[in-house]
Amino acid sequence: MDLSQYSDCLTALAAMSNRYGADPEYVLAGGGNTSFKSDALLWVKGSGTALATIRPGDFVVLSRERLNDMWSARYPENEAARESAVLKDMMAARIEGETRRPSVETLLHNLFPQRYVLHVHPALVNGITCSVEGEAAMKRLLPEAVWVEACKPGYLLALACKTVMDDYKRRTGRNCDLLFLQNHGIFFAADTVEALDDLARKTMETLSAAVRRFPDLTPAEADEKAVRRIADTLRACLGGSAEVRFLSNPAILSYDPSTESLSPDHIVYAKAKQLVLPEGADAETVRARFAAFTRENGYPPRIAFAEKLGMFACGASEAEATAAEAVMLDAVKVTVYAESFGGVSPMRPELVDFIVNWEAESYRSKVSLSEKK
């Protein structure tokens, strides 16, 4: 199949992806995805691939006809069986010779008739999507946008989006180009990169103007001996070769570490629960709290909050610790932005459990982190 006629479009798609992927206000870790479509084909970011470095030839190519056929397929009611069958059909929709795994949100990208689609999870956006007044605030500030209530990702989320988007088209006679996903993120869609950029800029400006308080990320002074003592103890608890990073600022120091998970990315990279250490914790206390946390949750902490000191991010590698730090700081920022929209509204427990055990998200994080090593 000769795809050379689309080279300019794919070059534009890669350049757009690189710009947004390199901007931490839009993309962290391996999050976000982009796509371009012709009448017959869809090019979408592969699962776990970094937007900041993706090249024109790196996008997974799929048949739109085969993807559309998936809406008439009958899938099992059992969650694991359903998602396995959906993944199998989505992989079968790839053109001949394609070997890479497409983004889990491929079906959603194909729903938009617009040529270019950008899906990201900015903290500013999630200040609304993770807030008590989220849908009402979106309708007030961006009445042309569409809201999709939180549900399990994968096929069920795509189906919920299709229902809402079809209804929007019936009511307005227009195609949806701005889609907010509760406790998740946003989709922008347009027929040109320039129009998509304009839509994203105007949306972010509107949200920024509505925020009453921004997170204070000014570095805070910390007791260096206490930081070193806790970092060394955490590293020893993790086997001695782990990476441990420390960060402190007013936003972190005022964050409530008992806040439940806000979005899938926060769970994938920083885990669903975080370790909390009391003020002045000595090495023995850190070891005891670490062991109790691991027994209770079934995994070692990726993040530890030390009262009146700051936040420690842990990982088996520098990439893992850096991603955990960035994504947990993102959650801190979201809670501050959410204050302007009635306060934070975390994910429902059953959705948290689903993400914790979902194979697709596990695959995405593993690929993303391996690319950064």
Side-chain angles (χ1 to χ4, degrees):
M1 182 181 298
D2 181 15
L3 303 180
S4 60
Q5 61 182 305
Y6 301 109
S7 60
D8 289 346
C9 298
L10 297 178
T11 297
L13 174 64
M16 179 189 80
S17 303
N18 297 162
R19 279 191 293 107
Y20 286 103
D23 187 344
E25 293 301 311
Y26 282 90
V27 174
L28 295 174
N33 37 70
T34 56
S35 67
F36 164 77
K37 62 177 65 71
S38 67
D39 291 341
L41 299 173
L42 174 75
W43 286 258
V44 69
K45 192 196 85 163
S47 185
T49 306
L51 283 178
T53 56
I54 197 168
R55 298 166 299 180
D58 292 340
F59 294 91
V60 183
V61 193
L62 302 99
S63 161
R64 296 191 66 199
E65 181 180 7
R66 291 181 184 174
L67 290 174
N68 289 333
D69 286 345
M70 292 176 66
W71 296 119
S72 58
R74 298 186 64 180
Y75 293 112
E77 292 186 8
N78 175 269
E79 290 177 353
R82 181 188 64 239
E83 294 305 322
S84 176
V86 169
L87 176 60
K88 182 179 179 180
D89 283 354
M90 193 161 66
M91 298 289 268
R94 297 174 300 177
I95 65 170
E96 184 177 356
E98 183 64 79
T99 60
R100 293 161 294 187
R101 178 165 168 163
S103 165
V104 69
E105 281 143 343
T106 294
L107 281 174
L108 248 168
H109 281 264
N110 194 49
L111 283 176
F112 290 90
Q114 295 90 342
R115 297 297 189 190
Y116 292 93
V117 176
L118 167 69
H119 170 50
V120 284
H121 322 122
L124 185 58
V125 167
N126 282 343
I128 275 192
T129 72
C130 301
S131 73
V132 173
E133 300 172 358
E135 183 175 8
M138 184 210 71
K139 289 180 177 178
R140 182 179 72 252
L141 297 170
L142 298 157
E144 73 283 4
V146 170
W147 179 271
V148 177
E149 293 186 0
C151 69
K152 293 177 180 178
Y155 183 74
L156 291 185
L157 175 60
L159 188 59
C161 291
K162 185 178 189 303
T163 299
V164 172
M165 293 168 70
D166 287 348
D167 179 67
Y168 180 86
K169 180 66 177 289
R170 284 192 297 268
R171 289 187 291 105
T172 67
R174 302 190 303 273
N175 291 313
C176 166
D177 62 3
L178 192 58
L179 184 75
F180 282 75
L181 304 175
Q182 184 180 19
N183 291 112
H184 190 136
I186 191 169
F187 275 84
F188 303 99
D191 282 325
T192 66
V193 169
E194 293 75 17
L196 190 149
D197 287 341
D198 190 53
L199 177 63
R201 176 183 56 79
K202 289 179 178 178
T203 299
M204 298 295 275
E205 287 177 352
T206 298
L207 298 181
S208 182
V211 170
R212 295 192 297 270
R213 186 171 81 90
F214 289 81
D216 185 350
L217 304 180
T218 307
E221 292 186 8
D223 182 335
E224 293 184 5
K225 290 184 178 180
V227 171
R228 187 162 51 250
R229 178 178 67 248
I230 293 175
D232 288 346
T233 306
L234 288 172
R235 192 175 294 108
C237 289
L238 289 162
S241 61
E243 180 77 15
V244 178
R245 298 170 60 89
F246 175 76
L247 185 66
S248 185
N249 55 51
I252 288 174
L253 294 173
S254 62
Y255 175 74
D256 179 1
S258 68
T259 302
E260 298 294 333
S261 299
L262 301 177
S263 81
D265 273 356
H266 299 147
I267 299 171
V268 170
Y269 294 100
K271 298 296 187 182
K273 299 288 184 181
Q274 289 76 48
L275 175 63
V276 179
L277 301 172
E279 182 180 0
D282 58 17
E284 183 178 354
T285 300
V286 175
R287 285 193 292 269
R289 291 286 182 102
F290 182 100
F293 178 96
T294 304
R295 284 195 303 271
E296 180 180 350
N297 295 286
Y299 54 80
R302 191 69 59 82
I303 297 290
F305 285 100
E307 186 178 3
K308 296 185 180 180
L309 187 64
M311 179 181 82
F312 294 84
C314 311
S317 65
E318 181 180 359
E320 195 171 80
T322 300
E325 179 186 75
V327 173
M328 194 67 235
L329 180 60
D330 181 78
V332 171
K333 293 163 65 176
V334 169
T335 62
V336 176
Y337 290 132
E339 292 174 3
S340 300
F341 309 107
V344 70
S345 179
M347 295 174 66
R348 299 195 305 273
E350 67 270 21
L351 297 182
V352 173
D353 290 342
F354 184 81
I355 295 296
V356 167
N357 297 294
W358 195 28
E359 182 272 342
E361 288 292 1
S362 174
Y363 177 89
R364 178 169 72 90
S365 64
K366 287 178 182 177
V367 174
S368 172
L369 292 173
S370 67
E371 286 189 347
K372 296 180 180 181
K373 290 182 180 179

